[in-house]
Amino acid sequence: MQPRLFSEFILFMTHNYDWLDTEREALEQAGLRRHLRTVRSAPTGTINLDGRDVVLLGSNNYLGLSTHPKVIAAAVEATQVFGTGASGSRLISGNNELYTTLETNLAKTKGTEAALVFSSGYAANTSIIPVLADEGDLILSDALNHASIIDGCRLSRATKKVYRHCDMEHLKVLLSESTKFRRRLIVTDGVFSMDGDIAPLPDICDLALEHNAMVLVDDAHGFGILGKDGSGTISHFGLEGEAIIQMGTFSKSIGALGGYIGGSHALIELLINRARGFIFTTGLPPATLAAANAALDVMRSSPDLRRCLFSHAKFLKTALIDLGYTLLPSETQILPVVLGSPQRATSVAEALLAEGIFAPAIRPPAVPPDTSRLRLTVMATHTKAEIQRAISGFTTVFRKSR
Ligand SMILES: Cc1ncc(COP(=O)(O)O)c(C=O)c1O
């Protein structure tokens, strides 16, 4: 073989990657190209974004706990005692005692026998679903479930069927056709991440009982917000004690990081042995565990934060509807303003940014085609003045668009 010149090699390699430019161009043409922005402040009501102060309407730090003094103090102390990293996976050397404290506290909050913490909500969903359902089993998944549930379903060898969003008649039909499967798993968001509506869990539980199905609820956006002391959507419906497997995350209301599963001792034991996203990854940093634990305590004992959050949500929603914007009928702190095409959503988001309002555009695949939107979220720690500033920004943008 003739030796190649280095320059020839580079040319050859470069051509192998031409498709990257084609892909980027396709994203651009479809209005789906995404860019990273840089935040230079904590996620409070007003942040410094790319060097400018703007009102933040796109944070999941719903209760403002990521900057709560008790939470920060706990994180600092844990770092001083245990250092910055876990240094190993939980089954090897990374199972810091802070995990035990957090899991005990969490199980108590959720009303489950036991709980298990993962490194993220994404890891929890992609890990548990393949454990619960394998070849010969059936997964029934709501059409608007979060991407981490969809990916968990993809990783499972079970048959998957998607039921229309919150359509209990459709779910019933699919369940009645499911007798040939060994096990059945119904999986749903508790509060839907992009729409803000709440899954009809009592009906889902009735159907599950009738058809011998397991139920997994992803409560990422209901935790801290709904139910007794913010314990979540299951409590909101008074379904404590039902055999529901509860999934959630510390990355939203809790203001930290880490996913979790709440369920029976038997389930947790099996996950420790089989969940690949639990076994094959390093434990969370001590600061994160301590922050999540402190934030859980603050969350439970702060009904005033939830009251404030719902009051802000109602105020902003009413003002936007009065202005003429179309909002989905959300019942929570998530307020979706549906605009249609990705290009329209992006241009409205840009116009708002020019007015000092950061309301990020959400486009496919995060939402179905033609439902690109602004996903507005309020925080308990927004000031009235910040919400008012946001409304003024929307007013200006709405007038200019007519
Ligand atoms: C409904 C839902 N489930 C799971 C996740 C993933 O959680 P995490 O951000 O902790 O990975 C998210 C957030 O992105 C979510 O919105």
Side-chain angles (χ1 to χ4, degrees):
M1 207 168 100
Q2 287 289 321
R4 278 187 190 277
L5 285 174
F6 184 64
S7 56
E8 271 182 72
F9 178 71
I10 294 286
L11 194 65
F12 167 74
M13 287 299 286
T14 311
H15 283 313
N16 279 352
Y17 297 105
D18 283 353
W19 67 275
L20 294 174
D21 294 331
T22 318
E23 288 290 318
R24 190 195 52 220
E25 192 47 37
L27 286 170
E28 186 73 52
Q29 289 302 321
L32 296 177
R33 188 165 168 206
R34 285 151 164 91
H35 300 275
L36 286 173
R37 297 182 190 279
T38 305
V39 178
R40 293 194 179 87
S41 59
T44 52
T46 299
I47 57 167
N48 186 286
L49 186 75
D50 293 334
R52 279 180 64 217
D53 285 350
V54 293
V55 174
L56 174 61
L57 287 185
S59 172
N60 294 326
N61 179 26
Y62 301 128
L63 301 178
L65 297 185
S66 86
T67 51
H68 193 285
K70 283 188 184 160
V71 176
I72 291 177
V76 170
E77 193 191 332
T79 305
Q80 278 161 348
V81 176
F82 296 109
T84 54
S87 88
S89 68
R90 290 191 63 185
L91 283 169
I92 309 293
S93 59
N95 196 38
N96 190 292
E97 64 178 330
L98 294 167
Y99 269 114
T100 316
T101 311
L102 179 58
E103 286 169 349
T104 307
N105 199 359
L106 182 65
K108 196 175 102 201
T109 308
K110 296 300 258 176
T112 55
E113 265 180 32
L116 190 69
V117 172
F118 289 72
S119 49
S120 69
Y122 185 90
N125 272 335
T126 51
S127 298
I128 189 173
I129 295 173
V131 172
L132 293 176
D134 201 350
E135 208 168 342
D137 300 328
L138 173 68
I139 304 173
L140 295 163
S141 176
D142 188 288
L144 294 190
N145 276 344
H146 186 258
S148 56
I149 296 180
I150 297 170
D151 292 356
C153 293
R154 285 177 179 160
L155 284 172
S156 162
R157 283 176 294 197
T159 301
K160 299 107 195 172
K161 293 190 181 171
V162 174
Y163 60 91
R164 288 187 292 273
H165 180 52
C166 290
D167 185 336
M168 293 300 100
E169 281 309 309
H170 193 200
L171 178 59
K172 191 174 174 178
V173 170
L174 295 178
L175 277 167
S176 62
E177 295 165 352
S178 72
T179 46
K180 70 171 195 248
F181 294 97
R182 181 184 56 167
R183 290 198 289 266
R184 285 150 285 280
L185 170 67
I186 305 169
V187 55
T188 181
D189 280 17
V191 170
F192 286 88
S193 57
M194 295 298 142
D195 287 44
D197 54 341
I198 305 175
L201 293 187
D203 297 338
I204 290 177
C205 285
D206 285 349
L207 285 172
L209 200 63
E210 207 178 308
H211 296 272
N212 295 323
M214 301 174 284
V215 180
L216 171 63
V217 176
D218 174 341
D219 212 15
H221 299 276
F223 187 46
I225 310 297
L226 300 176
K228 185 172 179 302
D229 300 333
S231 64
T233 312
I234 281 117
S235 159
H236 168 77
F237 285 115
L239 294 170
E240 299 96 331
E242 296 286 325
I244 299 173
I245 300 169
Q246 304 195 39
M247 176 273 165
T249 172
F250 299 123
S251 63
K252 321 286 183 209
S253 297
I254 295 298
L257 177 70
Y260 64 79
I261 300 293
S264 66
H265 287 301
L267 172 69
I268 300 307
E269 174 76 25
L270 191 65
L271 290 174
I272 290 171
N273 284 276
R274 293 255 175 87
R276 295 175 68 82
F278 174 83
I279 300 169
F280 298 108
T281 194
T282 298
L284 285 165
T288 303
L289 298 170
N293 194 48
L296 259 187
D297 292 340
V298 178
M299 173 206 101
R300 271 203 311 262
S301 59
S302 308
D304 46 323
L305 287 179
R306 281 179 281 283
R307 265 197 297 277
C308 203
L309 182 77
F310 279 107
S311 155
H312 286 339
K314 190 170 169 198
F315 185 59
L316 181 60
K317 184 176 177 175
T318 310
L320 293 178
I321 292 172
D322 287 350
L323 273 174
Y325 285 96
T326 308
L327 272 77
L328 291 180
S330 152
E331 302 151 74
T332 61
Q333 72 285 3
I334 300 168
L335 305 174
V337 182
V338 175
L339 295 163
S341 71
Q343 289 86 350
R344 173 127 198 270
T346 311
S347 77
V348 175
E350 288 299 331
L352 283 164
L353 198 56
E355 297 300 319
I357 312 302
F358 183 38
I362 307 289
R363 297 164 285 168
V367 290
D370 302 322
T371 69
S372 289
R373 66 195 65 183
L374 306 178
R375 175 187 180 268
L376 310 181
T377 55
V378 287
M379 287 181 275
T381 45
H382 270 124
T383 61
K384 268 263 164 111
E386 284 166 339
I387 301 284
Q388 200 57 63
R389 203 174 141 206
I391 294 168
S392 306
F394 272 95
T395 309
T396 309
V397 170
F398 192 75
R399 288 207 185 113
K400 280 187 187 160
S401 72
R402 310 193 84 198

